[in-house]
Amino acid sequence: MPISSGHALSVLDSIALAPLLLGTVLLYGGLWRRRGRLRELVRLRPGMGGAGLFFAGLGIGFLLASAFSSLFWWWAFGATLFAAMTLALLVVTK
């Protein structure tokens, strides 16, 4: 199924999407349960919370822009930013 030029979903991609989505739901479900710790961190250090939110949003923006434009290889930059911010959340809420 074509998404844009240079991007498409194959049958194998569609099958692999199920465990990926399950893992994502489990990851963000755990973060949701620990949102009290995140709230406390943002209250104590609002600059870090704002910067983390900005860079996570920037990463998602690059991912979306690469899928729907000619910025084909920018997905790697966006994925790295978003993954780094998710990892930071996991470390903070541990």
Side-chain angles (χ1 to χ4, degrees), residues 12-70:
L12 183 59
D13 292 334
S14 300
I15 293 170
L17 192 60
L20 181 64
L21 288 175
L22 177 64
T24 301
V25 166
L26 292 174
L27 171 71
Y28 288 109
L31 286 174
W32 180 257
R33 285 189 300 274
R34 292 176 181 92
R35 68 187 180 276
R37 294 179 191 169
L38 290 173
R39 187 180 304 121
E40 184 67 24
L41 177 71
V42 170
R43 190 177 64 74
L44 293 173
R45 301 183 76 173
M48 285 185 66
L53 187 61
F54 173 78
F55 286 115
L58 187 64
I60 292 292
F62 276 123
L63 282 170
L64 289 173
S66 70
F68 297 108
S69 71
S70 63

Side-chain angles (χ1 to χ4, degrees), residues 10-11 15 18 39 59 64 68 71 76 80 89-90:
S10 68
V11 174
I15 293 170
R39 187 180 304 121
L64 289 173
F68 297 108
L71 300 171
T80 302
L89 281 175
L90 290 172

